[in-house]
Amino acid sequence: MSTSELAPALAREEASDPFVIAGETFTSRLLLGTGGVPSLETLEAAVRASGTQLVTVALRRVEASSSASMLEVLDRCGVRLLPNTAGCRTAREAVLTARLAREAFGTSWVKLEVIGDEHTLLPDAVELLDAAEQLVMDGFTVLAYTTDDPILGRRLADAGCAAVMPLGSPIGSGLGIRNPHNIALLREGVDVPVVLDAGIGTASDAALAMELGCDAVLLASAVTRARDPEMMALAMRQAVEGGRLAKRAGRIPRRWHAEASTSFEGLPEL
Amino acid sequence: MQVTVNGEDTELAADTTVADLVAARSGAHDRVAVALNGDVVPRSSWPATRLSPGDTLEVLAPTAGG
């Protein structure tokens, strides 16, 4: 039984709440990375369970690249490919990698990653903004992986990025969202979609990202390196859906003291 | 002539084109991209692009990534 048969309200909500990047509409708000996947069978099961429509891939020297059948699996799943510039340290490297990816994959969409060092994998803000400006000028649809700095997020949006993708914590760390306040501030400060990218460890992290107002979540390791990637992919899908609905439904205010849900009026004297 | 392909010194015939090199190197990959001396060589230009001694090439293919 599909989710829509179980919950007509969910189907209605999804239809009335599309996720749009650069004019392209998605019904899934979960983007999946393929890094760390143990086998093609696991990849296909996880992609299908996640419901994702946008999947990241990378370019490497041909001798080191995975088998061509990975793309066959992704094509069969009907997902759109989002090449990344993982491993690039300078704007020059990232721009060249994006242009090579455009040739290889036939898409001008790119997940722009420019890291400062291999120890933290944290973005290099100066090189990132430079690369983003160059790629936007060159006609790319840039989804920029960035720190959780709200000001840098705004500068990337002003530069023409199609989406701003702040980290919750370092790539692959599974430490969740270390500065929720910054993520909410960043969300407030830009008009383009905000995708929480990196640091997700488990389902509650993904739900929190959505509750903070993020438009989508991008994760890889949390699924590909889970003990059961397919089950975790489903957990992430439901967490993203749940978090989005909770954000839209409007949570109750936090109170210092209790507020009775059962009225005291008519309470008998016993 | 000697060129550098993916970081390795490589001896190639004098009239080798980018298309020849890709055919020899890419195996089952069809979505391949080539950088020659730091610039992209569009697929449409591969057959007409002849390599020169000392050229540096990167021949890249898709792989898994986050």
Side-chain angles (χ1 to χ4, degrees), chain A residues 33-35 56-63 65-66 68 70-71 75 81 84 96 99-100 103-105 111, chain B residues 6-7 25-26 28-29 31-35 38-43 58-66:
Chain A
T34 52
T56 65
V57 289
L59 274 184
R60 285 292 177 264
R61 285 174 169 170
V62 69
E63 307 85 10
S65 60
S66 52
M70 181 187 78
L71 292 185
D75 288 345
L81 299 180
N84 69 24
L96 179 55
R99 288 176 179 153
L100 287 163
E103 274 295 306
F105 296 104
K111 172 182 165 177
Chain B
N6 290 355
R25 290 287 187 129
S26 62
H29 291 286
R31 282 178 261 198
V32 171
V34 179
D39 285 315
V40 180
V41 186
R43 182 176 287 261
E58 293 285 343
V59 183
L60 308 179
T63 196

Side-chain angles (χ1 to χ4, degrees), chain B residues 17-66:
Chain B
T17 66
V18 170
D20 297 332
L21 182 71
V22 169
R25 290 287 187 129
S26 62
H29 291 286
D30 57 355
R31 282 178 261 198
V32 171
V34 179
L36 171 58
N37 301 326
D39 285 315
V40 180
V41 186
R43 182 176 287 261
S44 56
S45 303
W46 290 355
T49 304
R50 293 192 181 282
L51 300 181
S52 305
D55 279 347
T56 299
L57 292 115
E58 293 285 343
V59 183
L60 308 179
T63 196

